[in-house]
Amino acid sequence: MLSTGDTTSKRSAFWTMLTLSSVIAAGGVLTDSTATVIGAMIIAPLSTPIMGIALGSVQRRRTGSAAIVFLACLLVIATGVVMSVALPSNYDLLSNSQISSRTSPGLIDLIAALATGFAGAVALARRDVAAVLPGVAIAISLVPPLVVAGVCLGQRSGWLALGAIALFVSNLFALVFAGMVVFASLGYAAEADKAAGRPARGAAVAMVLLFVVVLVPLAANTTATLLLNVWTGRTKDAAEQWLGEEPDASVTSVDMASRTMYIHVRTPGELPPVKSLLDRLEGRIPDGIPVVVDTSRGRRVDAGRVGG
């Protein structure tokens, strides 16, 4: 940990490597390079003070790790903001897979972070499995979502930045929670309880509450994503039936943006009456959703609202 031994040397190395990993991650995000982002994950030292928070919570002592993590987050986000000036003002952030994959976290991300946290804590506590630490560094996403948050803030996209921060926070609490469980099971909590003369439950209760706070929005986002997939699938089926009698006509894709359902079609002739499309969608997706049909010839038809 950063608060024991040669602290000056450890902390200078920590901030140097964190700055370099932030720049590398920002370069990987801006160029949409998965390999570069993975390289930044490997050298990012942020998991060390996070595990320090877990160990300090179990042993009931202040390690200063929380302050280091907070300042580190500000540094990484600021790096993303500065690097975002390389993007044009009209850049579509969601067209970049490194950004889009980190701005809509779900329950699967939390489950993966929990498993990674357990692996990381065990690897730190046991020398015989320390060789897995590079794999843990790749598996857990700490620096990249913070960089993405900075890039989104630099492009004035607050909602996307909030999604990236939510991913980091979920990973942070998952790591701390898993670390506390592992360190407590290895007897570190018992030593602290013996020294204090009573068991400490406050830290564990606080972490459980924070974990629940993170769990709720991720569960809500997962539910919304599943519903969106169901609605777009039903819309595509209805649109294919709507175009069924038109020769060589097909539905290329269906997506939803800004609460509007967009149906992209390819047809050599004229479109069938859009009223029949809305009739087919009624009862399949919620009423009131606007529907827009985009043709391969550049024509856009505002079909109206479902159930309207």
Side-chain angles (χ1 to χ4, degrees), residues 43 135 148 159 194 206 230:
I43 69 171
V148 169
W159 281 111
K194 185 176 180 180
V230 171

Side-chain angles (χ1 to χ4, degrees), residues 105-107 109-110 166-167 170 213-223:
L107 279 177
D109 296 295
L110 183 61
L167 174 61
S170 66
V213 169
V214 172
L215 179 66
V216 171
L218 293 186
N221 187 62
T222 300
T223 302

